[in-house]
Amino acid sequence: MLEIKGLCKYFGGIKAVDDCNFGVERGSITALIGPNGAGKTTAFNCISRTAMPTKGSVWLDGERIDKLRPHQITQRGLSRTFQISRNLADMTVLENVICQSRIGGWRDLMKPAMSSDEIDKAMGILDFLGITRIAYEDGSNLSYGQKKLMDLAALLMSDPKIILLDEPAGGVNPTLLEEIVGHIRKLNDQGLTVLIVEHNMELIMRLSHRIVVMAQGRVIANGAPAEIRENPAVLDAYLGGVLEEAV
Protein backbone atom coordinates (compact mmCIF):
# COMPACT_ATOMS: atom_id res chain seq x y z
CA MET A 1 0.00 0.00 0.00
CA LEU A 2 2.81 2.39 0.96
CA GLU A 3 6.23 2.13 -0.67
CA ILE A 4 9.33 4.09 0.27
CA LYS A 5 12.06 3.85 -2.37
CA GLY A 6 15.58 5.22 -1.96
CA LEU A 7 14.37 7.94 0.41
CA CYS A 8 17.04 10.41 1.51
CA LYS A 9 16.96 13.54 3.62
CA TYR A 10 20.20 15.45 4.08
CA PHE A 11 20.85 18.46 6.29
CA GLY A 12 24.14 19.73 4.92
CA GLY A 13 26.58 16.90 5.54
CA ILE A 14 24.23 15.07 7.92
CA LYS A 15 22.38 12.14 6.34
CA ALA A 16 19.30 11.92 8.57
CA VAL A 17 17.67 9.43 6.15
CA ASP A 18 19.97 7.66 3.70
CA ASP A 19 18.66 5.37 0.95
CA CYS A 20 15.71 4.18 3.02
CA ASN A 21 13.58 1.40 1.48
CA PHE A 22 10.57 -0.36 2.97
CA GLY A 23 6.88 -1.01 2.37
CA VAL A 24 3.69 -1.16 4.42
CA GLU A 25 1.16 -3.84 3.53
CA ARG A 26 -2.51 -2.93 3.33
CA GLY A 27 -4.35 -3.79 6.55
CA SER A 28 -1.19 -4.21 8.60
CA ILE A 29 0.23 -2.57 11.70
CA THR A 30 3.85 -1.87 10.83
CA ALA A 31 6.32 -0.45 13.34
CA LEU A 32 9.32 1.72 12.52
CA ILE A 33 11.83 1.45 15.36
CA GLY A 34 15.36 2.53 16.17
CA PRO A 35 17.36 4.62 18.63
CA ASN A 36 17.16 8.39 18.91
CA GLY A 37 18.68 9.89 15.78
CA ALA A 38 17.96 6.84 13.62
CA GLY A 39 15.87 8.95 11.22
CA LYS A 40 12.40 7.62 12.02
CA THR A 41 10.60 10.93 12.51
CA THR A 42 12.50 12.49 9.59
CA ALA A 43 11.27 9.61 7.42
CA PHE A 44 7.72 10.29 8.66
CA ASN A 45 8.15 13.97 7.78
CA CYS A 46 9.27 13.09 4.27
CA ILE A 47 6.44 10.61 3.75
CA SER A 48 3.81 13.14 4.86
CA ARG A 49 5.69 15.98 3.08
CA THR A 50 6.07 18.15 6.14
CA ALA A 51 9.69 17.95 4.97
CA MET A 52 10.95 17.84 1.38
CA PRO A 53 12.98 14.67 0.64
CA THR A 54 16.44 15.25 -0.77
CA LYS A 55 15.85 12.38 -3.16
CA GLY A 56 13.92 9.14 -3.48
CA SER A 57 10.19 8.56 -3.83
CA VAL A 58 7.09 7.70 -1.81
CA TRP A 59 4.17 5.80 -3.34
CA LEU A 60 0.63 5.35 -2.01
CA ASP A 61 -1.56 2.82 -3.81
CA GLY A 62 0.64 3.09 -6.88
CA GLU A 63 0.60 6.90 -7.00
CA ARG A 64 3.74 8.91 -6.32
CA ILE A 65 2.99 11.37 -3.51
CA ASP A 66 6.35 12.86 -2.49
CA LYS A 67 5.85 15.74 -4.94
CA LEU A 68 2.42 16.62 -3.53
CA ARG A 69 1.61 19.18 -0.86
CA PRO A 70 0.72 17.91 2.63
CA HIS A 71 -3.02 18.63 2.27
CA GLN A 72 -3.07 16.78 -1.07
CA ILE A 73 -1.51 13.74 0.58
CA THR A 74 -4.16 13.91 3.31
CA GLN A 75 -6.86 14.06 0.64
CA ARG A 76 -5.47 10.83 -0.81
CA GLY A 77 -5.92 9.05 2.50
CA LEU A 78 -2.67 9.40 4.45
CA SER A 79 -2.72 11.28 7.76
CA ARG A 80 -0.28 11.50 10.66
CA THR A 81 0.20 12.57 14.25
CA PHE A 82 3.26 14.28 15.75
CA GLN A 83 5.35 13.51 18.83
CA ILE A 84 4.14 16.73 20.44
CA SER A 85 0.44 17.64 20.19
CA ARG A 86 -0.24 20.54 17.83
CA ASN A 87 -3.62 21.44 19.27
CA LEU A 88 -4.90 25.00 19.18
CA ALA A 89 -5.00 25.93 22.86
CA ASP A 90 -7.71 28.59 22.54
CA MET A 91 -10.19 26.16 20.96
CA THR A 92 -12.23 23.34 22.44
CA VAL A 93 -11.49 19.70 21.79
CA LEU A 94 -14.47 19.52 19.42
CA GLU A 95 -13.23 22.54 17.48
CA ASN A 96 -9.70 21.12 17.30
CA VAL A 97 -11.03 17.86 15.93
CA ILE A 98 -13.28 19.51 13.34
CA CYS A 99 -10.34 21.60 12.11
CA GLN A 100 -9.02 18.38 10.58
CA SER A 101 -12.09 17.79 8.39
CA ARG A 102 -11.53 17.31 4.69
CA ILE A 103 -11.31 20.59 2.79
CA GLY A 104 -13.86 20.92 0.01
CA GLY A 105 -12.38 24.03 -1.61
CA TRP A 106 -13.87 27.50 -1.98
CA ARG A 107 -17.39 26.19 -1.35
CA ASP A 108 -16.40 25.69 2.28
CA LEU A 109 -16.24 29.47 2.65
CA MET A 110 -20.03 29.54 2.36
CA LYS A 111 -20.53 27.01 5.15
CA PRO A 112 -20.77 27.65 8.91
CA ALA A 113 -17.56 27.19 10.92
CA MET A 114 -18.86 23.87 12.21
CA SER A 115 -21.64 22.20 10.26
CA SER A 116 -24.08 19.83 11.97
CA ASP A 117 -22.67 16.94 9.93
CA GLU A 118 -19.13 17.74 11.11
CA ILE A 119 -20.25 18.00 14.72
CA ASP A 120 -22.07 14.66 14.50
CA LYS A 121 -19.05 13.01 12.91
CA ALA A 122 -16.62 14.47 15.44
CA MET A 123 -18.81 13.48 18.39
CA GLY A 124 -19.05 9.96 16.97
CA ILE A 125 -15.25 9.73 16.84
CA LEU A 126 -14.91 11.13 20.37
CA ASP A 127 -17.45 8.56 21.53
CA PHE A 128 -15.47 5.77 19.84
CA LEU A 129 -12.39 6.93 21.75
CA GLY A 130 -14.35 7.34 25.00
CA ILE A 131 -13.67 11.07 25.41
CA THR A 132 -17.00 12.78 24.71
CA ARG A 133 -16.81 14.16 28.27
CA ILE A 134 -14.01 16.53 27.20
CA ALA A 135 -15.61 17.63 23.89
CA TYR A 136 -16.13 21.21 25.12
CA GLU A 137 -12.98 21.37 27.24
CA ASP A 138 -10.41 23.98 26.26
CA GLY A 139 -7.44 22.36 24.53
CA SER A 140 -4.99 23.97 26.96
CA ASN A 141 -6.60 22.18 29.94
CA LEU A 142 -5.98 18.63 28.74
CA SER A 143 -3.55 16.15 30.21
CA TYR A 144 -0.78 14.82 27.98
CA GLY A 145 -2.66 11.56 27.44
CA GLN A 146 -5.90 13.36 26.59
CA LYS A 147 -4.04 15.41 24.00
CA LYS A 148 -2.83 12.16 22.42
CA LEU A 149 -6.43 10.94 22.17
CA MET A 150 -7.57 14.28 20.75
CA ASP A 151 -4.82 14.06 18.12
CA LEU A 152 -6.02 10.58 17.18
CA ALA A 153 -9.62 11.84 16.93
CA ALA A 154 -8.53 14.73 14.71
CA LEU A 155 -6.63 12.29 12.51
CA LEU A 156 -9.76 10.23 11.92
CA MET A 157 -11.78 13.25 10.74
CA SER A 158 -10.02 13.15 7.38
CA ASP A 159 -11.25 9.57 6.69
CA PRO A 160 -7.74 8.17 6.23
CA LYS A 161 -6.95 4.75 4.84
CA ILE A 162 -3.46 4.75 6.39
CA ILE A 163 -2.33 6.58 9.51
CA LEU A 164 1.19 7.39 10.70
CA LEU A 165 1.47 7.55 14.49
CA ASP A 166 4.59 9.19 15.91
CA GLU A 167 5.18 7.89 19.47
CA PRO A 168 1.53 7.59 20.57
CA ALA A 169 2.64 5.97 23.85
CA GLY A 170 5.20 8.61 24.77
CA GLY A 171 4.51 10.14 28.19
CA VAL A 172 1.21 8.27 28.60
CA ASN A 173 0.33 6.46 31.85
CA PRO A 174 -0.06 2.65 31.66
CA THR A 175 -3.87 2.66 31.94
CA LEU A 176 -4.36 5.16 29.13
CA LEU A 177 -1.69 3.40 27.10
CA GLU A 178 -3.78 0.22 27.10
CA GLU A 179 -6.77 2.26 25.93
CA ILE A 180 -4.76 3.70 23.05
CA VAL A 181 -3.50 0.23 22.10
CA GLY A 182 -7.08 -1.04 22.11
CA HIS A 183 -8.19 1.81 19.85
CA ILE A 184 -5.37 1.13 17.39
CA ARG A 185 -6.32 -2.55 17.26
CA LYS A 186 -10.00 -1.75 16.69
CA LEU A 187 -9.17 0.69 13.90
CA ASN A 188 -6.92 -1.90 12.29
CA ASP A 189 -9.65 -4.55 12.60
CA GLN A 190 -11.90 -2.14 10.71
CA GLY A 191 -9.40 -2.08 7.84
CA LEU A 192 -7.22 0.92 8.68
CA THR A 193 -3.53 0.48 7.89
CA VAL A 194 -1.12 1.74 10.56
CA LEU A 195 2.54 2.78 10.48
CA ILE A 196 3.83 3.54 13.96
CA VAL A 197 7.05 4.98 15.41
CA GLU A 198 7.45 3.97 19.03
CA HIS A 199 10.22 3.34 21.58
CA ASN A 200 8.10 1.09 23.82
CA MET A 201 9.41 -2.30 22.69
CA GLU A 202 6.95 -4.34 24.74
CA LEU A 203 4.09 -2.53 23.04
CA ILE A 204 5.63 -2.89 19.57
CA MET A 205 6.27 -6.61 19.97
CA ARG A 206 2.64 -7.38 20.84
CA LEU A 207 0.95 -4.86 18.57
CA SER A 208 2.82 -5.00 15.25
CA HIS A 209 2.55 -7.44 12.37
CA ARG A 210 5.88 -6.31 10.92
CA ILE A 211 8.79 -4.24 12.19
CA VAL A 212 11.18 -2.07 10.19
CA VAL A 213 14.41 -1.23 12.01
CA MET A 214 16.42 1.91 11.24
CA ALA A 215 19.89 2.92 12.38
CA GLN A 216 21.88 5.93 11.22
CA GLY A 217 19.28 6.75 8.59
CA ARG A 218 19.19 3.31 6.99
CA VAL A 219 16.94 0.25 7.23
CA ILE A 220 18.97 -2.58 8.74
CA ALA A 221 16.19 -5.14 9.30
CA ASN A 222 12.62 -5.80 8.23
CA GLY A 223 10.45 -8.68 9.40
CA ALA A 224 7.96 -10.17 11.84
CA PRO A 225 8.42 -9.39 15.56
CA ALA A 226 9.84 -12.86 16.26
CA GLU A 227 12.43 -12.40 13.50
CA ILE A 228 13.45 -8.95 14.73
CA ARG A 229 13.74 -10.20 18.32
CA GLU A 230 16.29 -12.80 17.19
CA ASN A 231 18.08 -10.69 14.56
CA PRO A 232 21.79 -10.47 15.52
CA ALA A 233 22.31 -7.30 13.48
CA VAL A 234 19.55 -5.52 15.39
CA LEU A 235 20.76 -6.69 18.80
CA ASP A 236 24.43 -6.04 18.11
CA ALA A 237 23.92 -2.69 16.42
CA TYR A 238 22.10 -0.76 19.11
CA LEU A 239 19.26 -2.43 21.00
CA GLY A 240 21.28 -4.71 23.26
CA GLY A 241 18.99 -6.58 25.64
CA VAL A 242 15.97 -4.34 25.18
CA LEU A 243 14.16 -6.75 22.88
CA GLU A 244 14.88 -9.71 25.14
CA GLU A 245 13.34 -7.83 28.07
CA ALA A 246 10.21 -7.18 25.98
CA VAL A 247 9.51 -10.89 25.40
Side-chain angles (χ1 to χ4, degrees):
M1 182 178 190
L2 181 69
E3 294 181 276
I4 289 79
K5 301 180 180 180
L7 190 66
C8 300
K9 180 60 179 178
Y10 303 154
F11 298 95
I14 299 174
K15 296 181 178 181
V17 177
D18 187 25
D19 194 26
C20 186
N21 298 273
F22 67 92
V24 177
E25 295 183 6
R26 187 182 309 279
S28 71
I29 298 176
T30 300
L32 185 60
I33 69 171
N36 290 330
K40 307 179 299 297
T41 293
T42 302
F44 258 34
N45 292 342
C46 291
I47 293 168
S48 61
R49 268 292 276 112
T50 53
M52 173 75 79
T54 302
K55 58 182 177 179
S57 60
V58 180
W59 301 76
L60 179 63
D61 280 337
E63 178 186 5
R64 186 170 180 177
I65 63 172
D66 55 280
K67 301 293 185 181
L68 302 178
R69 295 179 179 179
H71 75 275
Q72 293 173 318
I73 292 175
T74 300
Q75 289 172 345
R76 282 158 176 77
L78 185 151
S79 294
R80 65 160 299 178
T81 62
F82 294 84
Q83 289 181 18
I84 300 174
S85 178
R86 297 191 172 190
N87 67 297
L88 300 171
D90 294 331
M91 297 172 61
T92 67
V93 170
L94 182 62
E95 290 167 337
N96 269 283
V97 170
I98 289 177
C99 277
Q100 307 298 319
S101 297
R102 282 182 177 268
I103 298 172
W106 64 268
R107 293 181 180 84
D108 286 348
L109 296 175
M110 309 301 293
K111 296 180 180 179
M114 296 193 300
S115 70
S116 59
D117 287 343
E118 287 175 326
I119 292 173
D120 289 345
K121 180 178 179 180
M123 290 301 290
I125 293 172
L126 294 177
D127 182 56
F128 170 77
L129 297 176
I131 53 173
T132 52
R133 66 188 182 281
I134 63 170
Y136 296 98
E137 189 71 42
D138 192 274
S140 62
N141 296 334
L142 303 184
S143 68
Y144 196 77
Q146 288 173 330
K147 288 180 180 179
K148 292 279 188 178
L149 286 172
M150 183 183 68
D151 289 345
L152 181 57
L155 193 74
L156 299 176
M157 280 297 288
S158 63
D159 297 318
K161 53 188 176 183
I162 178 171
I163 57 174
L164 279 56
L165 304 177
D166 198 351
E167 297 194 29
V172 176
N173 68 63
T175 300
L176 187 54
L177 173 60
E178 288 307 310
E179 289 185 26
I180 292 174
V181 169
H183 296 321
I184 293 172
R185 282 191 172 130
K186 287 179 183 177
L187 290 168
N188 181 244
D189 289 343
Q190 293 172 7
L192 191 62
T193 303
V194 180
L195 176 61
I196 180 172
V197 164
E198 184 51 63
H199 286 289
N200 186 324
M201 289 297 103
E202 188 275 332
L203 181 154
I204 288 302
M205 286 295 162
R206 62 189 172 94
L207 182 63
S208 307
H209 301 126
R210 294 193 68 80
I211 298 175
V212 178
V213 187
M214 289 184 69
Q216 298 181 336
R218 287 177 170 265
V219 173
I220 65 167
N222 188 339
E227 296 173 315
I228 297 301
R229 186 184 294 117
E230 303 297 331
N231 189 308
V234 175
L235 296 174
D236 293 343
Y238 58 95
L239 286 179
V242 174
L243 290 182
E244 295 178 5
E245 294 171 6
V247 176

